[in-house]
């Protein structure tokens, strides 16, 4: 399916959401997402693909008022009081479903699913007023990098309908090493630098084969689900669109918060 011209499309983003505590500890990335969010007045809705909703086949959130799901344990109590009360959008969910079916995905609507923290934690910074409708598309279990790129390609036409496509993951995601170092881990920095170069070069072939080509890939991502949303976001972009880096630094010594934007205006 052909992509619309870039100047008619809502942005596409890849955001590193880090740990759930990002909701309360904005660090370097939070203020940059807030500044970006202030430029998004014209968007109609946000579609989020998060690693925290994985299903057999693809599911599309169709609840008119999705709940805020606190899908984590052992964190500070104030996190569990947070609510992101943006409406859903069953109409656009049905449009997304038709695009996915047309692209050959096994897909269905889910009218009960709430929003997981991969969606609402970064949105607390990006769109804190929670007025723009937000819905999610799941990651199908067993998805590989090529499938993630194809998922983004299937959803790309929604950008011409004013839907911001947000892949929410983490540029590095080795939870076994969280807090193990006082300084930023060299391997996480090296991996993030390699990914940045490939993203800025629009080198999809390298990103698809990152597990073999990138330094420390398996250490940066013991499992792939937090990397795949980057491929979804890239797949939703046109070949002429250049990525812009959103600096995020490193949290907990090993979690790179670097993020990327396509089709969004630059912000300080």
């Amino acid at each position: 399916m052909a992509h619309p011209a870039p100047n008619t499309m809502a942005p596409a983003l890849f955001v590193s959401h880090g740990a759930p505590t990002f909701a309360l500890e904005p660090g370097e990335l939070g203020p940059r997402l807030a500044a970006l969010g202030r430029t998004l007045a014209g968007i109609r809705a946000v579609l989020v693909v998060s690693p925290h909703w994985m299903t057999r086949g693809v599911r599309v959130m169709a609840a008119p008022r999705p709940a805020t799901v606190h899908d984590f344990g052992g964190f500070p109590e104030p996190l569990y009081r947070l609510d992101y009360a943006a409406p859903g959008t069953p109409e656009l969910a049905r449009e997304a479903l038709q695009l996915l079916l047309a692209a050959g995905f096994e897909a269905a609507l889910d009218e009960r699913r709430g929003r997981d923290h991969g969606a609402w934690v970064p949105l607390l910074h990006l769109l804190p007023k929670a007025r723009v409708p937000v819905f999610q598309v799941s990651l199908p279990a067993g998805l590989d990098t090529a499938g993630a790129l194809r998922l983004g390609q299937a959803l790309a036409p929604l950008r011409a309908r004013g839907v911001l496509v947000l892949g929410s993951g983490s540029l590095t995601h080795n939870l076994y090493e969280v807090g193990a170092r006082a300084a930023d881990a060299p391997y996480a920095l090296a991996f993030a630098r390699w990914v940045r170069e490939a993203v800025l070069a629009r080198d999809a072939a390298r990103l698809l084969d990152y597990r073999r080509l990138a330094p420390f890939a398996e250490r940066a991502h013991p499992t792939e689900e937090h990397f795949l949303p980057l491929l979804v976001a890239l797949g939703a972009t046109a070949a002429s669109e250049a990525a812009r880096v959103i600096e995020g630094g490193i949290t907990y010594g090993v979690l790179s918060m670097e993020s990327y934007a396509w089709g969004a205006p630059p912000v300080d």
Side-chain angles (χ1 to χ4, degrees):
M1 185 173 294
H3 289 274
N7 62 1
T8 69
M9 294 192 288
L13 306 176
F14 169 73
V15 173
S16 292
H17 64 251
T21 47
F22 179 44
L24 300 174
E25 301 169 359
E28 293 182 37
L29 181 61
R32 293 189 170 104
L33 290 182
L36 174 59
R38 290 190 287 271
T39 73
L40 300 178
I43 65 169
R44 181 180 174 191
V46 179
L47 184 164
V48 183
V49 176
S50 159
H52 299 289
W53 188 23
M54 299 187 73
T55 56
R56 178 177 295 179
V58 186
R59 297 295 176 263
V60 183
M61 181 184 294
R65 286 279 172 188
T68 299
V69 180
H70 299 84
D71 51 335
F72 44 78
F75 287 91
E77 194 274 336
L79 273 175
Y80 300 91
R81 297 198 300 266
L82 293 176
D83 181 39
Y84 192 79
T89 172
E91 175 190 355
L92 288 170
R94 288 189 290 271
E95 289 189 30
L97 175 65
Q98 292 307 312
L99 290 169
L100 291 163
L101 292 172
F105 286 97
E106 176 192 344
L109 297 179
D110 187 324
E111 297 179 349
R112 296 186 177 183
R113 172 74 185 189
R115 282 184 287 255
D116 63 68
H117 79 273
W120 62 262
V121 165
L123 286 169
L124 282 171
H125 301 291
L126 184 70
L127 295 169
K129 294 181 180 179
R131 293 173 182 166
V132 177
V134 177
F135 68 114
Q136 289 187 239
V137 169
S138 71
L139 277 177
L143 193 71
D144 60 11
T145 53
L149 189 74
R150 192 166 63 89
L151 183 65
Q153 291 167 340
L155 297 170
L158 290 171
R159 293 181 59 202
R161 302 275 286 131
V163 179
L164 186 153
V165 175
L166 169 58
S168 175
S170 191
L171 201 65
T172 60
H173 193 256
N174 188 332
L175 298 185
Y176 302 106
E177 298 189 35
V178 165
R181 293 171 171 79
D184 296 342
Y187 85 85
L189 293 169
F191 179 83
R193 183 164 53 248
W194 185 93
V195 173
R196 177 189 290 202
E197 291 172 356
V199 167
L200 292 179
R202 284 199 65 92
D203 196 336
R206 288 177 70 201
L207 291 167
L208 289 172
D209 200 17
Y210 84 99
R211 210 133 183 98
R212 185 175 66 88
L213 298 177
F216 308 107
E218 292 190 6
R219 187 175 178 188
H221 288 278
T223 56
E224 291 198 274
E225 72 280 353
H226 277 74
F227 188 80
L228 295 177
L230 170 59
L231 277 303
V232 176
L234 180 64
T237 67
S240 59
E241 288 184 279
R244 180 169 56 80
V245 175
I246 306 174
E247 299 275 3
I250 299 275
T251 60
Y252 300 106
V254 293
L255 300 181
S256 173
M257 299 294 286
E258 180 158 301
S259 304
Y260 306 106
W262 294 264
V267 293
D268 294 332

